[in-house]
Structure formats: structure tokens, C-alpha cells
Amino acid sequence: MAASLVESGEDAFRKVFKFYKRRNPPPDFSNVLDFSKGEGSNKVVPLKLDPATVSDAEAARVGLRPVRDWTAFELRGYPGFIFIPDPFVLGSQAFWVRQCLKTYPRKPNVCNLDMHMSPSDTQDIWDRSVPDLRLPSSGKRRPDTLLERLRWVTLGYHYNWDTKTYCADRRTPFPADLHQLSRHVTAACGFPGFDAEAGILNYYRPDSSLGIHVDESELDHSRPLLSFSFGQSAIFLLGGLCRRDPPTAMYMHSGDLMLMSGQSRLLHHAVPRILPAPRGHASSGMESSSRVSSPGDGSVVETPSQEDWEACVGYIRSSRVNVTVRQVLAPGQTFPGASSSHRGTDVGRTGGNHDEDGECGKRKRSRDSET
Ligand code: OGA
Ligand code: MN
């Protein structure tokens, strides 16, 4: 990338965002870190995880490989940021993809389509989309299915996009399977006792993006923010506490997981671009022939039916799903009357394609007076 783009300065983040979002001419991707290739850059530092934190059986139940077999990395200059390229057992991503597409969008969870459709119309997003999703891809473009119009789903404490808050009275049960997965992943990263209380699923079409933002609506920032990606790849930009700080670009491929904790918990970040998954990522690693059978008693992960899986493939061959899992409250903490917080423009509220005019230090502005 041109040096001028990475210099710190007035909204350097926005410049980099636009650089990677650009279609014509396509940007140079050579500076994008690819953790799946290991230590390709001196910014990437291997991280040793303690394999005793999660037993092999616990990991297997949620579709994860034994922790000792994971690779984990930190990023120089971003303490608390952890990147784990695809720690899933071959084939088990299929289950999580099916959950994200079929199960989590169901009531009582909340989604963008609820804002302008009747409850009866958003009742069976999956069933109404399956027939078209299962059609073999012909070069011709078919109308988007309802599922392909899904932009976000919220779980647990449902995020209020207008007030940018969570509150006690907008809460439904957090999915037990995703809670368990999140608990094991965070434990492996050194955060035992993580309580998944809120989830935001973002659904990306090839032209979607997610604007520059900080996730600070959670009341307890000592707990990490966890992110899982499935399907097509993305460029993720990780910036600083301020929008003036130029971000680092990295690929997120299917199955990759990241954790923002400690000093990295409140950093600006964004997704300027969705990219086709490289060979060996996304659905190719999840094909029915390589899917796992039930790894044993108490397993959370099960093999999706052939019909479900065909519909999932029809969706993820062009789309990406990202799941962020958040602990909102510290143990014993309760909601005050209201909270001031900010979250940037979201892919869901605008149907994607959006980079917002955020300002440097929004978080500071709402809490401190220095900006
Ligand atoms: C979010 C978020 C990143 C992604 O939902 O807050 O930052 O990779 N998602 O989609
Ligand atoms: Mn975020």
C-alpha cells in the first residue's frame, strides 16, 4: 500500500478503509496479514496457549481440535489481541454455519427483517429460502432469498441500535451451544468463566462492509470480545483507540477466530471488504464427505442433514457470517438506569455497503471531556 495511506493523521483509518473497499482498480492486497500462513510478518508473534484449560473431550463436543493442536498468534503493537486460525475439527464448521443460518435467526432472537416485516413473515426465514438456495448455481443471478436479505441477528441481551445499549428487559436466552463454544475458546485464551450474554451475527453479501467502530456498549470491558467467521473471507482492519491511528489489515477466513481483550478490547475496527475464500477454506473444508460424525456423548455438534447442508453451501458460496460474542456485565453487576456508549454504523442497519463518518475519539467524547 502507498506509504501515505499508513501514515498517522487525520482519519487515517478512513483512508485505509476506502483503499480496501475500492473496486476499480482493485487495491494491492500484499500488505494484508494472513495468519493462516503462520508467521509471514514480523508483526505476527506466536502465542502459547495452556492446553490444560480445556479438555480434549470438551473441545471435541463443540467441534474444536485439542487446544494443543491450535495455532495462536498475537500482533505486535496490539496487546490483548489474539488470532486463532481455524481451530475447528474438519467438518464441524458445517454445524456452526447451520446454526447461524437456520437456528439463530429464529424467534425469539431479533433480526433486521423484523424492523419492516410482520412476525409471520420472519417466522420461517430458513424454510422459505431453502428451495432457492439449493438450486445449483447457474451463472444467472436469481432474486435474493429472504436469508440473503438478513443483515444481523441479535442474541441474549438484544443490542438496541438506536440507543446503542443493552438493557435488562430486552433479553432472551443465549443459545447454550454457542455459550459453550465461547466459554471454551475464551478459557483457552486465558479468560476462564466467560459468560456469553449477548451475540451479534453479521451477515455479509459480496458487496457488504462494516463501518469503523468500537464495541463499547458492554458494561464490563475487562471481559474479551470474541469473534468467529464462517464462509467467504474478509479483510478486517484493526486500528487504535483513536481514528487517527492507521489500522493493520488482516484476512479473516472461514473458521478463524479472534479475541479482543485487555488494551485491544476498545480499539477501532472495521470490515471494508468481503473476498472469495481461497481454496481449502470455506465450504471446501466442510463438504459432506469430510463432515464429522458425532464425536461422542454430550456432543453439541451434530452433522447437518444433507438438505440443510446443501442450502448452507448455496448461501456461503457467496456470503460471510460473523458472530461476535460479548459478556455485557461483570459477575454480580446490574444495569444502571442508562448507559452512554457508542457503536459505529453497522452492516445490518443499512443493508451493508456503508462506511460511516465516525469521528476520532467518539468513545472518549462520550466519557471524557478531552476531545
Ligand atoms: C462487530 C464486528 C466484525 C466482523 O460485529 O462488532 O466488529 O468481522 N464484526 O464482522
Ligand atoms: Mn465490532
Side-chain angles (χ1 to χ4, degrees), residues 99-117:
Q99 295 303 81
C100 292
L101 301 183
K102 178 178 183 176
T103 310
Y104 302 149
R106 284 192 185 135
K107 299 288 153 268
N109 302 330
V110 180
C111 71
N112 65 300
L113 299 173
D114 297 329
M115 307 298 144
H116 47 85
M117 288 174 73

Side-chain angles (χ1 to χ4, degrees), residues 213 215 269 326 343:
H213 68 279
D215 291 287
H269 56 279
R326 302 125 191 271
R343 185 190 155 85

Side-chain angles (χ1 to χ4, degrees), residues 200 202 204 210 213 215 227 229 236 252 269 271 320 322 324 326 343:
I200 297 178
N202 285 315
Y204 295 83
L210 176 66
H213 68 279
D215 291 287
S227 158
S229 291
F236 182 82
M252 281 205 89
H269 56 279
V271 178
R320 168 178 188 257
N322 176 261
T324 50
R326 302 125 191 271
R343 185 190 155 85

Side-chain angles (χ1 to χ4, degrees), residues 296-318:
D297 283 346
S299 179
V300 162
V301 171
E302 61 186 23
T303 303
S305 70
Q306 191 61 32
E307 184 192 10
D308 279 359
W309 182 239
E310 284 169 15
C312 288
V313 169
Y315 181 86
I316 61 166
R317 77 174 150 237
S318 60

Side-chain angles (χ1 to χ4, degrees), residues 267-344:
L267 298 183
H268 285 82
H269 56 279
V271 178
R273 194 182 189 105
I274 302 302
L275 290 165
R279 286 178 72 81
H281 292 267
S283 61
S284 56
M286 304 182 226
E287 291 302 348
S288 50
S289 59
S290 62
R291 281 184 289 150
V292 280
S293 53
S294 221
D297 283 346
S299 179
V300 162
V301 171
E302 61 186 23
T303 303
S305 70
Q306 191 61 32
E307 184 192 10
D308 279 359
W309 182 239
E310 284 169 15
C312 288
V313 169
Y315 181 86
I316 61 166
R317 77 174 150 237
S318 60
S319 305
R320 168 178 188 257
V321 185
N322 176 261
V323 186
T324 50
V325 181
R326 302 125 191 271
Q327 178 165 340
V328 176
L329 301 167
Q333 189 178 15
T334 53
F335 284 99
S339 75
S340 76
S341 52
H342 170 71
R343 185 190 155 85

